[in-house]
Amino acid sequence: MRQFVVIGHDAPTDPEFPLDDLPSAAGRLDLLCRCVTSGLFLSHNIRDARVHLVLADEYTITFDGATVRHLNPDERSTAARIRNALAAREDAIGHMPAEPSPGVELRRLGLADTLERIGGALVTLHEDGDPLATADPIADPTFVLSDHRDFTETETALLADQATARLSVGPERLHADHAVTVAHNWLDTDGYTHY
Amino acid sequence: MRQFVVIGHDAPTDPEFPLDDLPSAAGRLDLLCRCVTSGLFLSHNIRDARVHLVLADEYTITFDGATVRHLNPDERSTAARIRNALAAREDAIGHMPAEPSPGVELRRLGLADTLERIGGALVTLHEDGDPLATADPIADPTFVLSDHRDFTETETALLADQATARLSVGPERLHADHAVTVAHNWLDTDGYTHY
């Protein structure tokens, strides 16, 4: 299964954010919502994939394509799901998640604990990685991406230690949600060799 | 220059739509807004590209990456730009556009007239086209995509007559905005051969 971990450095950690101002007042939550959509949506179908949003290294919200229900592709309704998950954060105790709706889970875990929990072949997506087109497709990848900010030194060190590959989706620096789309397409097309 | 024409079959033709309900009340305007973002945005930069949204075959709104100012990547603010353009629709007379803000133009043109006006090497993106990975990159392409609905018979006939190629972005059916991202990446990486 394909998994995507998106680090939201400025993301909210409580539900008191406005759905009408996701870019500013909600710390670029618009971008994180688009990552959920690009990670899970096909046209008229949902992928068997998971997207994990790491919010300010404090909480991780997981959207599971296999079990999520009534998810819509627009930013606002996805942000509302995130808000509901944060509203239920008191139910997340130890390793037990809060599950405000089927297929949406919030855990009180930062990046390091989330990576340890979910497993998979860890692949960092970053502009200075090796070109995707020169790499072999990876089974059960867990792609790790950053939001509009670069990885912190701590995150870079963690990923350098744990990731099996560091790949770049192209010569242009893309938004995280666009990088998710390219990574999916790369695997869909078996590494661009044929389909 | 790369251009993208996205056909919005259910898109609004007046500004009386709510920014809080883009998927339903505004005829999947969320998807069209994401097409603008995926067509024009790099991380911390704007592409020299144009995105043309054909609204119900009645108006075409063009976002020009070279001249647009203060564009944000989220759906809501892009939808507000579209609303402003529709509010100025009375200023679009004959071939003269309304230009409610720099780099955003509305013309009283449907699909056929828009394609005739903008030129470029016309490429249809459709699930039953030839695989992108087997095609040669195209100079000055004008990609034409449909929203959540398939092309109508009239549109299919028009494109069959005028398009130089009919390409598929992969074996999975993608949302239009994801197809835009893949097409950009294909050209960024010189047809996936190297970058």
Side-chain angles (χ1 to χ4, degrees), chain A residues 131-154:
Chain A
L132 208 61
T134 65
D136 290 325
I138 295 160
D140 295 323
T142 295
F143 295 101
V144 184
L145 307 87
S146 188
D147 58 2
H148 61 298
R149 300 193 186 283
D150 205 349
F151 293 117
T152 65
E153 286 187 22
T154 306

Side-chain angles (χ1 to χ4, degrees), chain B residues 1-5 39 47-52 115 118-125 132 135-145 162-167 179-180 182-188 191:
Chain B
M1 188 182 53
R2 304 174 192 172
Q3 301 190 75
F4 296 88
V5 177
R47 289 182 187 267
D48 180 19
R50 288 186 190 147
V51 176
H52 312 270
L115 294 182
I118 65 178
L122 212 64
V123 179
T124 306
L125 291 182
L132 208 59
D136 290 324
I138 296 159
D140 296 323
T142 295
F143 294 102
V144 184
L145 306 87
Q162 299 195 4
T164 59
R166 183 176 174 89
L167 299 177
V180 168
V182 171
H184 263 317
N185 186 252
W186 175 63
L187 292 171
D188 289 345

Side-chain angles (χ1 to χ4, degrees), chain A residues 28-36 146-148 175-177:
Chain A
R28 294 306 312 276
L29 201 60
D30 62 309
L31 175 64
L32 299 185
C33 290
R34 289 197 300 279
C35 286
V36 172
S146 188
D147 58 2
H148 61 298
H175 280 208
D177 60 313

Side-chain angles (χ1 to χ4, degrees), chain B residues 116-185:
Chain B
E116 185 177 332
R117 189 185 75 79
I118 65 178
L122 212 64
V123 179
T124 306
L125 291 182
H126 191 270
E127 61 191 272
D128 65 11
D130 298 323
L132 208 59
T134 65
D136 290 324
I138 296 159
D140 296 323
T142 295
F143 294 102
V144 184
L145 306 87
S146 188
D147 58 1
H148 61 297
R149 300 194 185 283
D150 204 349
F151 293 117
T152 65
E153 285 186 24
T154 306
E155 292 158 1
T156 300
L158 179 72
L159 293 169
D161 184 50
Q162 299 195 4
T164 59
R166 183 176 174 89
L167 299 177
S168 152
V169 296
E172 303 288 356
R173 291 177 62 186
L174 303 189
H175 282 210
D177 60 313
H178 300 158
V180 168
T181 296
V182 171
H184 263 317
N185 186 252

Side-chain angles (χ1 to χ4, degrees), chain A residues 20 23 28 30 34 37-38 41-44 47 73-76 131-133 148 168-175 178 181-182 185 188-189 192 195, chain B residues 20 23 28 30 34 37-38 41-44 47 73-76 131-133 148 168-175 178 181-182 185 188-189 192 195:
Chain A
D20 289 351
R28 294 306 312 276
D30 62 309
R34 289 197 300 279
T37 296
S38 57
F41 275 86
L42 291 169
S43 188
H44 307 292
R47 289 182 186 267
D74 65 303
E75 293 165 10
R76 186 184 177 91
L132 208 61
H148 61 298
S168 151
V169 296
E172 303 288 355
R173 291 176 63 187
L174 303 189
H175 280 208
H178 299 158
T181 296
V182 171
N185 186 252
D188 289 346
T189 58
Y192 300 139
Y195 56 95
Chain B
D20 289 350
R28 291 308 312 277
D30 62 311
R34 289 196 300 279
T37 296
S38 57
F41 275 87
L42 291 169
S43 187
H44 308 292
R47 289 182 187 267
D74 65 302
E75 293 166 8
R76 186 185 177 91
L132 208 59
H148 61 297
S168 152
V169 296
E172 303 288 356
R173 291 177 62 186
L174 303 189
H175 282 210
H178 300 158
T181 296
V182 171
N185 186 252
D188 289 345
T189 59
Y192 301 138
Y195 59 93

Side-chain angles (χ1 to χ4, degrees), chain A residues 14-75:
Chain A
D14 68 54
E16 309 304 320
F17 60 83
L19 294 178
D20 289 351
D21 186 10
L22 300 178
S24 298
R28 294 306 312 276
L29 201 60
D30 62 309
L31 175 64
L32 299 185
C33 290
R34 289 197 300 279
C35 286
V36 172
T37 296
S38 57
L40 298 189
F41 275 86
L42 291 169
S43 188
H44 307 292
N45 209 351
I46 301 277
R47 289 182 186 267
D48 180 18
R50 288 184 191 151
V51 177
H52 312 271
L53 305 179
V54 180
L55 309 182
D57 210 32
E58 191 172 339
Y59 298 105
T60 296
I61 299 179
T62 297
F63 288 80
D64 182 356
T67 54
V68 74
R69 293 289 173 270
H70 310 301
L71 189 67
N72 290 314
D74 65 303
E75 293 165 10

